[in-house]
Amino acid sequence: MRRRALIGNWKMHKTADEAGTYIREFLPLIQNIASVDVILAPPFTSLHVVAALVKDTSIGLAGQDVHWDSQGALTGEVSPAMLYDSGCQSVIIGHSERRQMFHEDDNAVNRKVKAAIAHHLTAIMCVGETREERANGKTSDVLTRQLLAGLAGIDAIDDTQLVLAYEPIWAIGSGTPATPTQANEVHAELREHLGTLFTTAIAKSIRIVYGGSITTENIQALLATPHVDGGLVGGACLDPSNFARIVSSAAN
Ligand code: PGA
């Protein structure tokens, strides 16, 4: 049985002060929830504040991006060891906003995934098609390419090293999520690929979360499908009580 994971991606929101306020409000709301993994991905500048506040709780911490090198003359970048040292156990890699706005390609995603794993971080690897690709019947091709390229050269993996996130680009921030059927269909296919790449047992153990316009209203139907193992939540996680409601729905 895969444990559900709810990941709150703050994107470029909240100062360190605001992050502190969020956590102090959020913690009491979810303190009795033990059956799902809750992971927060604040901006780099708030990692320390959040890490200190969640230290004795079960809440996990994730970076929103990472560079593959350990150090170097790479202005603006953050290494896997820096994330680990800041209290992160995982990192989001290949989010479509990075792919589209910052020209991150499959090869960069692959290098980041490998570097994260090498530094004991769980790679939360995102894949997703555009509206146009879906309309042209290319969804399967695009996702297969992103998955295979992102995991190229990795011979063995386990569920502590990888979480897959299916995030259709047309669903992100649009208010139009994938239907549970659409999400489940894609997740089932991704899982099949994982089985071919690794083993059926590994494929069964790896969590595939869905992201794109998740709300308190739609989370339960998405999670009711067999292959959706959680959510990567953007806009709806920015308010602590709203995200706590989503987490509670996932726990029920
Ligand atoms: P959204 O974003 O929930 O605001 O659609 C999800 C994401 O991009 O991770």
Side-chain angles (χ1 to χ4, degrees):
M1 198 43 194
R2 296 179 295 270
R3 248 176 95 83
R4 286 175 176 168
L6 267 297
I7 306 157
N9 177 10
W10 291 8
K11 306 191 180 182
M12 199 173 75
H13 291 281
K14 299 187 193 298
T15 61
D17 254 12
E18 289 163 348
T21 305
Y22 180 105
I23 301 300
R24 279 185 281 270
E25 234 179 285
F26 185 58
L27 285 180
L29 300 174
I30 59 143
Q31 64 180 354
N32 295 322
I33 299 172
S35 58
V36 295
D37 290 340
V38 180
I39 299 164
L40 296 175
F44 296 140
T45 46
S46 293
L47 284 175
H48 264 86
V49 172
V50 176
L53 289 169
V54 303
K55 197 165 146 253
D56 298 317
T57 74
S58 58
I59 295 181
L61 197 58
Q64 294 181 13
D65 187 23
V66 69
H67 194 271
W68 53 83
D69 277 338
S70 300
Q71 56 187 351
L74 294 155
T75 303
E77 293 296 315
V78 166
S79 76
M82 289 170 188
L83 286 185
Y84 189 84
D85 178 60
S86 302
C88 293
Q89 303 84 30
S90 55
V91 55
I92 298 171
I93 294 174
H95 189 283
S96 61
E97 285 153 15
R98 304 251 19 121
R99 292 181 191 255
Q100 293 201 309
M101 290 189 260
F102 303 99
H103 313 295
E104 224 175 88
D105 60 13
D106 288 331
N107 181 255
V109 171
N110 179 240
R111 295 174 82 165
K112 291 178 180 198
V113 168
K114 286 178 179 162
I117 293 172
H119 288 86
H120 312 291
L121 293 166
T122 305
I124 303 168
M125 187 178 101
C126 305
V127 297
E129 82 285 3
T130 63
R131 188 181 298 281
E132 198 188 349
E133 286 162 346
R134 178 164 280 264
N136 293 332
K138 295 266 188 302
T139 301
S140 198
D141 290 354
V142 171
L143 297 177
T144 305
R145 189 205 75 224
Q146 290 177 349
L147 182 74
L148 297 185
L151 299 178
I154 300 173
D155 301 326
I157 208 158
D158 67 35
D159 60 323
T160 67
Q161 296 173 312
L162 179 71
V163 170
L164 265 188
Y166 169 52
E167 295 212 311
I169 296 169
W170 48 272
I172 295 175
S174 68
T176 310
T179 64
T181 310
Q182 283 173 327
N184 189 60
E185 219 168 74
V186 167
H187 288 216
E189 195 182 331
L190 291 172
R191 202 177 300 288
E192 211 174 293
H193 285 308
L194 286 175
T196 312
L197 279 175
F198 306 108
T199 67
T200 311
I202 293 293
K204 275 191 183 155
S205 71
I206 289 177
R207 286 171 301 177
I208 307 180
V209 301
Y210 165 80
S213 296
I214 288 179
T215 62
T216 47
E217 283 79 40
N218 60 34
I219 184 70
Q220 258 172 343
L222 286 158
L223 290 175
T225 61
H227 290 286
V228 178
D229 306 316
L232 179 48
V233 186
C237 84
L238 292 176
D239 175 69
S241 51
N242 204 47
F243 191 44
R245 277 197 292 277
I246 292 177
V247 170
S248 309
S249 301
N252 289 332

